[in-house]
Coordinates of all heavy atoms in Angstrom, one line a residue:
I1 N 42.2 154.3 45.5 CA 41.3 153.1 45.5 C 39.9 153.6 45.6 O 39.5 154.5 46.4 CB 41.6 152.2 46.7 CG1 43.0 151.7 46.6 CG2 40.6 151.1 46.7 CD1 43.4 150.8 47.8
Y2 N 39.1 153.1 44.6 CA 37.6 153.4 44.6 C 36.8 152.3 45.0 O 37.0 151.1 44.6 CB 37.2 153.8 43.2 CG 35.8 154.2 43.0 CD1 35.3 155.4 43.4 CD2 34.9 153.3 42.4 CE1 34.0 155.8 43.3 CE2 33.6 153.6 42.3 CZ 33.1 154.9 42.7 OH 31.8 155.2 42.6
T3 N 35.9 152.5 45.9 CA 35.0 151.5 46.4 C 33.6 151.8 45.9 O 33.2 153.0 45.9 CB 35.0 151.3 47.9 OG1 34.7 152.6 48.5 CG2 36.4 150.8 48.4
L4 N 32.9 150.8 45.5 CA 31.5 151.0 45.0 C 30.6 151.2 46.2 O 30.6 150.4 47.2 CB 31.0 149.8 44.2 CG 31.5 149.8 42.8 CD1 31.0 148.5 42.1 CD2 31.1 150.9 42.0
S5 N 29.8 152.2 46.1 CA 28.7 152.3 47.1 C 27.5 151.6 46.6 O 27.4 151.2 45.5 CB 28.4 153.8 47.4 OG 27.7 154.3 46.2
L6 N 26.5 151.3 47.5 CA 25.3 150.7 47.1 C 24.6 151.5 46.0 O 24.1 150.9 45.0 CB 24.4 150.5 48.3 CG 23.1 149.7 48.0 CD1 23.4 148.3 47.5 CD2 22.2 149.7 49.3
H7 N 24.7 152.8 46.1 CA 24.1 153.7 45.1 C 24.7 153.4 43.7 O 24.0 153.5 42.7 CB 24.2 155.1 45.5 CG 23.7 156.1 44.5 ND1 22.4 156.2 44.2 CD2 24.4 157.0 43.7 CE1 22.2 157.2 43.3 NE2 23.4 157.7 43.0
D8 N 26.0 153.2 43.7 CA 26.7 153.0 42.4 C 26.5 151.5 41.9 O 26.5 151.3 40.7 CB 28.2 153.2 42.6 CG 28.6 154.7 42.8 OD1 27.8 155.5 42.4 OD2 29.6 154.9 43.5
A9 N 26.4 150.6 42.8 CA 26.3 149.2 42.4 C 25.0 148.7 41.9 O 24.9 147.9 41.1 CB 26.7 148.3 43.6
L10 N 23.9 149.4 42.4 CA 22.5 148.9 42.0 C 22.3 149.0 40.5 O 21.8 148.1 39.9 CB 21.5 149.7 42.8 CG 21.3 149.2 44.2 CD1 20.2 150.1 44.9 CD2 20.9 147.8 44.3
P11 N 22.7 150.2 39.8 CA 22.4 150.2 38.4 C 23.3 149.1 37.6 O 22.8 148.6 36.7 CB 22.9 151.6 38.0 CG 22.8 152.4 39.2 CD 23.1 151.5 40.4
I12 N 24.5 148.9 38.1 CA 25.3 147.9 37.5 C 24.7 146.5 37.6 O 24.6 145.7 36.7 CB 26.7 147.9 38.0 CG1 27.4 149.2 37.7 CG2 27.6 146.7 37.5 CD1 28.7 149.5 38.4
L13 N 24.2 146.2 38.8 CA 23.6 144.9 39.1 C 22.3 144.8 38.3 O 22.1 143.7 37.7 CB 23.2 144.8 40.6 CG 22.5 143.6 41.1 CD1 23.4 142.4 40.8 CD2 22.1 143.7 42.5
F14 N 21.5 145.8 38.2 CA 20.2 145.8 37.4 C 20.5 145.5 36.0 O 19.9 144.7 35.3 CB 19.4 147.1 37.6 CG 18.2 147.1 36.8 CD1 17.1 146.4 37.1 CD2 18.2 147.9 35.6 CE1 16.0 146.4 36.3 CE2 17.1 148.0 34.8 CZ 15.9 147.2 35.2
T15 N 21.5 146.2 35.4 CA 21.9 146.1 34.0 C 22.4 144.6 33.8 O 22.0 144.0 32.8 CB 23.0 147.1 33.6 OG1 22.5 148.4 33.9 CG2 23.4 146.9 32.2
T16 N 23.2 144.1 34.6 CA 23.7 142.8 34.5 C 22.6 141.7 34.5 O 22.6 140.8 33.7 CB 24.8 142.5 35.6 OG1 25.8 143.4 35.5 CG2 25.3 141.1 35.4
I17 N 21.7 141.9 35.4 CA 20.6 140.9 35.5 C 19.7 141.0 34.3 O 19.3 140.0 33.7 CB 19.8 141.1 36.8 CG1 20.6 140.7 38.0 CG2 18.5 140.4 36.8 CD1 20.0 141.1 39.4
S18 N 19.4 142.2 33.8 CA 18.6 142.5 32.7 C 19.2 141.8 31.4 O 18.5 141.1 30.6 CB 18.4 143.9 32.4 OG 17.7 144.5 33.5
V19 N 20.5 142.0 31.2 CA 21.1 141.5 30.0 C 21.2 139.9 30.1 O 21.0 139.3 29.1 CB 22.6 142.1 29.9 CG1 23.4 141.3 28.9 CG2 22.5 143.5 29.6
S20 N 21.4 139.4 31.3 CA 21.4 138.0 31.5 C 20.0 137.4 31.1 O 19.9 136.3 30.4 CB 21.7 137.6 32.9 OG 23.0 138.0 33.2
I21 N 18.9 138.0 31.6 CA 17.6 137.5 31.3 C 17.3 137.6 29.8 O 16.8 136.6 29.2 CB 16.5 138.3 32.1 CG1 16.7 137.9 33.6 CG2 15.1 138.0 31.6 CD1 15.9 138.8 34.5
F22 N 17.6 138.7 29.2 CA 17.4 138.9 27.8 C 18.2 137.8 27.0 O 17.7 137.2 26.0 CB 17.8 140.3 27.3 CG 17.7 140.5 25.9 CD1 16.5 140.7 25.3 CD2 18.8 140.5 25.0 CE1 16.3 140.9 23.9 CE2 18.7 140.7 23.7 CZ 17.5 140.9 23.1
S23 N 19.4 137.6 27.4 CA 20.3 136.6 26.7 C 19.7 135.2 26.8 O 19.6 134.4 25.8 CB 21.7 136.6 27.2 OG 22.3 137.8 27.0
W24 N 19.2 134.8 28.0 CA 18.6 133.5 28.2 C 17.3 133.3 27.3 O 17.1 132.3 26.7 CB 18.2 133.4 29.7 CG 17.6 132.0 30.0 CD1 18.3 130.8 30.2 CD2 16.3 131.7 30.2 NE1 17.4 129.8 30.4 CE2 16.1 130.4 30.5 CE3 15.1 132.5 30.2 CZ2 14.9 129.7 30.7 CZ3 13.9 131.9 30.4 CH2 13.8 130.5 30.7
I25 N 16.5 134.4 27.3 CA 15.3 134.3 26.4 C 15.6 134.1 25.0 O 15.0 133.3 24.3 CB 14.4 135.6 26.7 CG1 13.8 135.6 28.0 CG2 13.3 135.7 25.6 CD1 13.1 136.9 28.5
Q26 N 16.6 134.9 24.5 CA 17.1 134.7 23.1 C 17.6 133.4 22.8 O 17.4 132.8 21.7 CB 18.1 135.8 22.8 CG 17.5 137.2 22.7 CD 16.4 137.4 21.7 OE1 15.3 137.3 22.0 NE2 16.8 137.6 20.4
T27 N 18.3 132.8 23.8 CA 18.9 131.4 23.6 C 17.7 130.4 23.5 O 17.8 129.5 22.6 CB 19.8 131.1 24.8 OG1 20.9 132.0 24.8 CG2 20.3 129.7 24.6
K28 N 16.7 130.5 24.3 CA 15.6 129.6 24.3 C 14.9 129.8 22.9 O 14.4 128.8 22.3 CB 14.6 129.9 25.4 CG 15.2 129.5 26.7 CD 15.6 128.1 26.7 CE 15.0 127.3 27.9 NZ 15.4 125.9 27.8
R29 N 14.7 131.0 22.5 CA 14.0 131.3 21.2 C 14.8 130.6 20.0 O 14.2 130.1 19.1 CB 13.9 132.8 21.0 CG 13.1 133.1 19.8 CD 12.9 134.6 19.8 NE 12.1 134.9 18.6 CZ 12.1 136.1 18.1 NH1 12.8 137.1 18.6 NH2 11.4 136.3 17.0
Y30 N 16.1 130.8 20.1 CA 17.0 130.2 19.0 C 16.8 128.7 19.0 O 16.7 128.1 17.9 CB 18.5 130.6 19.3 CG 19.4 129.8 18.4 CD1 19.6 130.2 17.0 CD2 20.1 128.7 18.8 CE1 20.4 129.5 16.2 CE2 20.9 128.0 18.0 CZ 21.1 128.4 16.7 OH 21.9 127.7 15.9
D31 N 16.8 128.0 20.2 CA 16.7 126.6 20.2 C 15.3 126.2 19.6 O 15.3 125.2 18.9 CB 16.8 126.1 21.7 CG 18.2 126.2 22.2 OD1 19.1 126.3 21.4 OD2 18.3 126.1 23.5
E32 N 14.3 126.9 19.9 CA 13.0 126.6 19.4 C 12.9 126.7 17.9 O 12.4 125.8 17.2 CB 11.9 127.5 20.0 CG 10.5 127.2 19.6 CD 9.5 128.2 20.2 OE1 9.9 129.0 21.1 OE2 8.4 128.2 19.8
L33 N 13.5 127.8 17.4 CA 13.5 128.0 15.9 C 14.4 127.0 15.2 O 14.0 126.5 14.1 CB 13.9 129.4 15.6 CG 12.9 130.5 16.0 CD1 13.5 131.9 15.7 CD2 11.6 130.4 15.2
K34 N 15.5 126.6 15.9 CA 16.4 125.6 15.3 C 15.6 124.3 15.1 O 15.7 123.7 14.0 CB 17.6 125.4 16.2 CG 18.6 124.4 15.7 CD 19.8 124.3 16.5 CE 19.4 123.6 17.8 NZ 20.6 123.3 18.6
I35 N 14.8 123.9 16.0 CA 14.1 122.7 15.9 C 13.0 122.8 14.8 O 12.9 121.9 14.0 CB 13.4 122.3 17.3 CG1 14.4 121.9 18.3 CG2 12.3 121.2 17.1 CD1 13.9 121.8 19.7
I36 N 12.3 123.9 14.8 CA 11.3 124.1 13.7 C 11.9 124.1 12.3 O 11.4 123.5 11.4 CB 10.5 125.4 14.0 CG1 9.6 125.2 15.3 CG2 9.6 125.7 12.9 CD1 9.1 126.4 15.8
Y37 N 13.0 124.8 12.2 CA 13.6 124.9 10.9 C 14.2 123.5 10.5 O 14.2 123.1 9.3 CB 14.8 125.9 10.9 CG 14.3 127.3 10.9 CD1 15.1 128.3 11.5 CD2 13.1 127.7 10.5 CE1 14.7 129.6 11.6 CE2 12.6 129.0 10.5 CZ 13.4 130.0 11.1 OH 13.0 131.3 11.1
G38 N 14.6 122.7 11.4 CA 15.1 121.4 11.1 C 14.0 120.5 10.6 O 14.1 119.7 9.6
V39 N 12.8 120.6 11.3 CA 11.6 119.8 10.8 C 11.2 120.2 9.4 O 11.0 119.4 8.5 CB 10.5 120.0 11.8 CG1 9.2 119.4 11.2 CG2 10.8 119.3 13.1
S40 N 11.2 121.6 9.2 CA 10.9 122.1 7.8 C 11.9 121.6 6.8 O 11.5 121.2 5.7 CB 10.8 123.6 7.9 OG 9.8 124.1 8.7
A41 N 13.1 121.6 7.1 CA 14.1 121.1 6.1 C 14.0 119.7 5.8 O 14.1 119.3 4.7 CB 15.5 121.4 6.7
D42 N 13.6 118.9 6.9 CA 13.4 117.4 6.6 C 12.2 117.2 5.7 O 12.2 116.4 4.8 CB 13.2 116.7 8.0 CG 14.5 116.6 8.8 OD1 15.6 116.8 8.2 OD2 14.4 116.3 10.0
E43 N 11.1 118.0 6.0 CA 9.9 117.9 5.2 C 10.2 118.2 3.7 O 9.7 117.6 2.8 CB 8.8 118.8 5.7 CG 8.1 118.4 6.9 CD 7.0 119.3 7.4 OE1 6.8 120.4 6.7 OE2 6.3 119.0 8.4
L44 N 10.9 119.3 3.5 CA 11.3 119.7 2.1 C 12.1 118.7 1.5 O 12.0 118.4 0.2 CB 11.9 121.1 2.1 CG 11.0 122.3 2.5 CD1 11.8 123.6 2.6 CD2 9.9 122.4 1.6
A45 N 13.1 118.1 2.2 CA 13.9 117.0 1.6 C 13.0 115.8 1.2 O 13.2 115.2 0.1 CB 15.0 116.6 2.6
D46 N 12.0 115.5 2.0 CA 11.1 114.4 1.7 C 10.3 114.8 0.4 O 10.1 113.9 -0.4 CB 10.2 114.1 2.8 CG 10.9 113.5 4.0 OD1 12.0 113.0 3.8 OD2 10.3 113.5 5.1
F47 N 9.8 116.0 0.4 CA 9.1 116.5 -0.8 C 9.9 116.4 -2.1 O 9.4 116.0 -3.1 CB 8.5 117.9 -0.6 CG 7.3 118.0 0.3 CD1 7.3 118.9 1.3 CD2 6.2 117.2 0.0 CE1 6.2 119.0 2.2 CE2 5.1 117.3 0.8 CZ 5.1 118.2 1.9
K48 N 11.2 116.8 -1.9 CA 12.1 116.7 -3.1 C 12.2 115.3 -3.6 O 12.1 115.0 -4.8 CB 13.4 117.3 -2.7 CG 14.4 117.3 -3.8 CD 15.7 117.9 -3.4 CE 16.8 117.9 -4.5 NZ 18.0 118.5 -4.1
K49 N 12.4 114.3 -2.7 CA 12.5 112.9 -3.1 C 11.2 112.4 -3.8 O 11.2 111.8 -4.8 CB 12.8 112.0 -1.9 CG 14.2 112.2 -1.3 CD 14.4 111.3 -0.1 CE 15.7 111.6 0.6 NZ 15.8 110.8 1.9
Q50 N 10.1 112.8 -3.2 CA 8.8 112.4 -3.7 C 8.6 113.0 -5.1 O 8.1 112.3 -6.0 CB 7.7 112.9 -2.7 CG 6.3 112.6 -3.2 CD 5.2 113.2 -2.3 OE1 5.5 113.9 -1.3 NE2 4.0 112.9 -2.6
I51 N 8.9 114.3 -5.3 CA 8.7 114.9 -6.6 C 9.6 114.3 -7.6 O 9.1 114.1 -8.8 CB 8.9 116.4 -6.5 CG1 7.7 117.0 -5.6 CG2 8.9 117.1 -7.8 CD1 7.9 118.5 -5.2
K52 N 10.8 114.0 -7.3 CA 11.7 113.4 -8.3 C 11.2 112.0 -8.7 O 11.5 111.6 -9.8 CB 13.1 113.2 -7.7 CG 13.9 114.5 -7.7 CD 15.3 114.3 -7.2 CE 16.2 115.5 -7.4 NZ 17.6 115.3 -7.0
A53 N 10.5 111.3 -7.8 CA 10.0 109.9 -8.2 C 8.8 109.9 -9.0 O 8.4 108.9 -9.6 CB 9.8 109.1 -6.9
L54 N 8.1 111.1 -9.0 CA 6.8 111.1 -9.8 C 7.0 111.4 -11.2 O 8.0 112.1 -11.7 CB 5.9 112.3 -9.2 CG 5.5 112.1 -7.7 CD1 4.8 113.3 -7.2 CD2 4.7 110.8 -7.5
T55 N 6.1 110.9 -12.0 CA 6.1 111.1 -13.5 C 4.9 111.7 -14.1 O 4.9 112.3 -15.1 CB 6.4 109.7 -14.2 OG1 5.4 108.8 -13.8 CG2 7.8 109.2 -13.8
I56 N 3.8 111.6 -13.3 CA 2.5 112.1 -13.8 C 2.4 113.6 -13.4 O 2.6 113.9 -12.2 CB 1.3 111.3 -13.3 CG1 1.4 109.8 -13.8 CG2 0.0 111.9 -13.7 CD1 0.4 108.9 -13.1
E57 N 2.1 114.4 -14.4 CA 2.1 115.9 -14.1 C 1.1 116.3 -12.9 O 1.5 117.1 -12.1 CB 1.7 116.6 -15.4 CG 1.9 118.1 -15.2 CD 1.7 118.9 -16.5 OE1 1.8 118.3 -17.6 OE2 1.3 120.1 -16.4
K58 N 0.0 115.6 -12.9 CA -1.0 115.9 -11.8 C -0.4 115.6 -10.4 O -0.6 116.3 -9.5 CB -2.3 115.1 -12.1 CG -3.3 115.2 -10.9 CD -4.2 116.4 -11.0 CE -5.3 116.3 -10.0 NZ -5.1 116.9 -8.8
D59 N 0.2 114.4 -10.4 CA 0.9 114.0 -9.1 C 2.0 115.0 -8.7 O 2.1 115.3 -7.5 CB 1.4 112.6 -9.2 CG 0.3 111.6 -9.4 OD1 -0.9 111.9 -9.0 OD2 0.6 110.5 -9.8
I60 N 2.8 115.4 -9.7 CA 3.8 116.4 -9.4 C 3.2 117.7 -8.9 O 3.7 118.3 -7.9 CB 4.7 116.6 -10.7 CG1 5.4 115.3 -11.0 CG2 5.7 117.8 -10.4 CD1 6.2 115.4 -12.3
S61 N 2.2 118.2 -9.6 CA 1.5 119.4 -9.2 C 1.0 119.3 -7.7 O 1.1 120.2 -6.9 CB 0.4 119.7 -10.1 OG -0.3 120.8 -9.7
D62 N 0.4 118.2 -7.4 CA -0.1 118.0 -6.0 C 1.0 118.0 -5.0 O 0.9 118.6 -3.9 CB -0.9 116.7 -5.9 CG -2.2 116.7 -6.7 OD1 -2.7 117.8 -7.0 OD2 -2.8 115.6 -6.9
A63 N 2.1 117.4 -5.3 CA 3.2 117.3 -4.4 C 3.8 118.7 -4.2 O 4.2 119.1 -3.1 CB 4.3 116.3 -4.9
V64 N 3.9 119.5 -5.3 CA 4.4 120.8 -5.2 C 3.5 121.7 -4.3 O 4.0 122.5 -3.5 CB 4.6 121.5 -6.6 CG1 4.9 122.9 -6.5 CG2 5.8 120.8 -7.3
S65 N 2.2 121.5 -4.5 CA 1.2 122.2 -3.7 C 1.4 121.9 -2.2 O 1.3 122.8 -1.4 CB -0.2 121.9 -4.2 OG -1.1 122.5 -3.4
Q66 N 1.6 120.6 -1.9 CA 1.8 120.2 -0.5 C 3.1 120.9 0.0 O 3.1 121.3 1.2 CB 1.9 118.7 -0.4 CG 0.6 118.0 -0.6 CD 0.8 116.5 -0.6 OE1 1.9 116.0 -0.6 NE2 -0.4 115.8 -0.4
S67 N 4.1 120.9 -0.8 CA 5.4 121.5 -0.3 C 5.2 123.0 -0.1 O 5.8 123.5 0.9 CB 6.6 121.2 -1.2 OG 6.4 121.8 -2.5
E68 N 4.5 123.7 -0.9 CA 4.2 125.1 -0.7 C 3.4 125.3 0.5 O 3.7 126.3 1.3 CB 3.5 125.7 -1.9 CG 4.4 125.8 -3.2 CD 3.6 126.2 -4.4 OE1 2.4 126.1 -4.4 OE2 4.3 126.5 -5.4
K69 N 2.5 124.5 0.9 CA 1.7 124.6 2.1 C 2.6 124.4 3.3 O 2.5 125.1 4.3 CB 0.6 123.6 2.2 CG -0.6 123.9 1.2 CD -1.6 122.8 1.3 CE -2.7 123.1 0.2 NZ -3.7 122.0 0.2
S70 N 3.6 123.5 3.2 CA 4.5 123.3 4.3 C 5.4 124.6 4.5 O 5.6 125.0 5.7 CB 5.4 122.1 4.0 OG 6.4 122.0 4.9
I71 N 5.8 125.2 3.4 CA 6.6 126.4 3.5 C 5.8 127.5 4.1 O 6.2 128.3 5.0 CB 7.2 126.8 2.2 CG1 8.2 125.8 1.7 CG2 7.8 128.2 2.2 CD1 8.7 125.9 0.3
S72 N 4.5 127.6 3.6 CA 3.6 128.6 4.1 C 3.4 128.5 5.6 O 3.3 129.5 6.4 CB 2.3 128.6 3.4 OG 1.4 129.5 3.9
R73 N 3.2 127.3 6.1 CA 2.9 127.0 7.5 C 4.1 127.4 8.3 O 4.0 128.1 9.4 CB 2.7 125.5 7.7 CG 2.4 125.1 9.1 CD 2.1 123.6 9.3 NE 3.2 122.8 8.9 CZ 3.2 122.0 7.9 NH1 2.1 121.8 7.1 NH2 4.3 121.3 7.5
E74 N 5.4 127.1 7.9 CA 6.6 127.5 8.6 C 6.7 129.0 8.6 O 7.1 129.6 9.6 CB 7.8 126.8 7.9 CG 9.1 127.0 8.7 CD 9.8 128.3 8.3 OE1 9.7 128.8 7.2 OE2 10.4 128.9 9.2
H75 N 6.4 129.7 7.5 CA 6.5 131.1 7.4 C 5.5 131.8 8.3 O 5.8 132.8 9.0 CB 6.2 131.6 5.9 CG 6.3 133.1 5.8 ND1 5.2 133.8 5.8 CD2 7.4 133.9 5.7 CE1 5.5 135.1 5.7 NE2 6.9 135.2 5.6
K76 N 4.3 131.3 8.4 CA 3.3 131.8 9.3 C 3.8 131.7 10.8 O 3.6 132.6 11.6 CB 1.9 131.1 9.2 CG 1.2 131.5 7.9 CD -0.1 130.8 7.7 CE -0.7 131.1 6.4 NZ -1.9 130.2 6.2
Y77 N 4.4 130.5 11.1 CA 4.9 130.3 12.5 C 6.0 131.3 12.8 O 6.0 132.0 13.8 CB 5.4 128.9 12.7 CG 5.9 128.7 14.1 CD1 4.9 128.4 15.1 CD2 7.2 128.8 14.4 CE1 5.4 128.2 16.4 CE2 7.7 128.6 15.6 CZ 6.7 128.3 16.6 OH 7.2 128.2 17.9
W78 N 6.9 131.5 11.8 CA 8.0 132.4 12.0 C 7.5 133.8 12.2 O 7.9 134.6 13.0 CB 9.0 132.3 10.8 CG 10.1 133.3 10.8 CD1 11.2 133.2 11.5 CD2 10.1 134.6 10.2 NE1 12.0 134.3 11.3 CE2 11.3 135.2 10.5 CE3 9.2 135.2 9.3 CZ2 11.7 136.4 10.0 CZ3 9.6 136.5 8.8 CH2 10.8 137.0 9.1
F79 N 6.5 134.2 11.3 CA 6.0 135.6 11.4 C 5.3 135.8 12.7 O 5.4 136.9 13.3 CB 5.0 135.8 10.2 CG 4.5 137.2 10.1 CD1 5.4 138.2 9.7 CD2 3.3 137.5 10.5 CE1 5.0 139.6 9.6 CE2 2.8 138.9 10.4 CZ 3.7 139.8 10.0
S80 N 4.6 134.8 13.2 CA 3.9 135.0 14.5 C 4.8 135.1 15.6 O 4.6 135.8 16.6 CB 2.9 133.8 14.8 OG 3.6 132.7 15.1
K81 N 6.0 134.6 15.5 CA 7.0 134.7 16.6 C 7.7 136.1 16.5 O 8.2 136.5 17.5 CB 8.1 133.6 16.4 CG 7.7 132.3 16.8 CD 7.3 132.3 18.3 CE 7.2 130.9 18.9 NZ 6.9 131.0 20.3
E82 N 7.7 136.7 15.4 CA 8.3 138.0 15.2 C 7.5 139.1 15.8 O 8.0 140.2 16.2 CB 8.6 138.3 13.7 CG 9.7 137.5 13.2 CD 11.1 137.7 13.8 OE1 11.4 138.9 14.0 OE2 11.7 136.7 14.2
I83 N 6.2 138.9 15.9 CA 5.3 140.0 16.4 C 5.2 140.0 17.9 O 5.6 139.5 18.7 CB 3.9 139.8 15.8 CG1 3.9 140.0 14.3 CG2 2.9 140.7 16.5 CD1 2.6 139.8 13.6

């Protein structure tokens, strides 16, 4: 029978707590990105409907430009979270 001494248990305890904290942080990050990606997907779906309804080339061009800005904004946010 092996019993853990305090000397043996501290590294295990430290590792367990560290992994738990890291996992919790990653879960929070996932939830935040899930919300942001959902908003972006909704915006793009709205742009798609808007573009399909347009017939004037200038209006279509403006709508495409707006949708590209939306994608760019989401990309900048994602990139800032990676750094």
Side-chain angles (χ1 to χ4, degrees):
I1 297 176
Y2 179 75
T3 58
L4 282 176
S5 68
L6 184 59
H7 176 69
D8 294 333
L10 283 179
I12 295 169
L13 179 63
F14 176 74
T15 302
T16 302
I17 290 171
S18 298
V19 168
S20 297
I21 291 170
F22 177 77
S23 297
W24 181 77
I25 290 169
Q26 289 301 97
T27 300
K28 291 304 231 177
R29 186 174 179 201
Y30 170 79
D31 289 342
E32 181 182 353
L33 289 175
K34 180 176 74 170
I35 290 168
I36 291 168
Y37 290 153
V39 169
S40 295
D42 290 344
E43 284 181 357
L44 291 175
D46 291 343
F47 283 127
K48 183 178 179 180
K49 288 178 189 175
Q50 179 185 2
I51 291 170
K52 283 186 172 185
L54 297 174
T55 57
I56 300 171
E57 188 172 337
K58 170 86 171 94
D59 294 340
I60 294 171
S61 177
D62 291 343
V64 169
S65 179
Q66 288 176 346
S67 66
E68 288 174 346
K69 286 178 185 174
S70 175
I71 293 168
S72 177
R73 181 179 61 246
E74 187 275 327
H75 180 261
K76 286 177 186 174
Y77 181 81
W78 176 80
F79 186 73
S80 72
K81 287 296 194 179
E82 289 296 312
I83 293 178

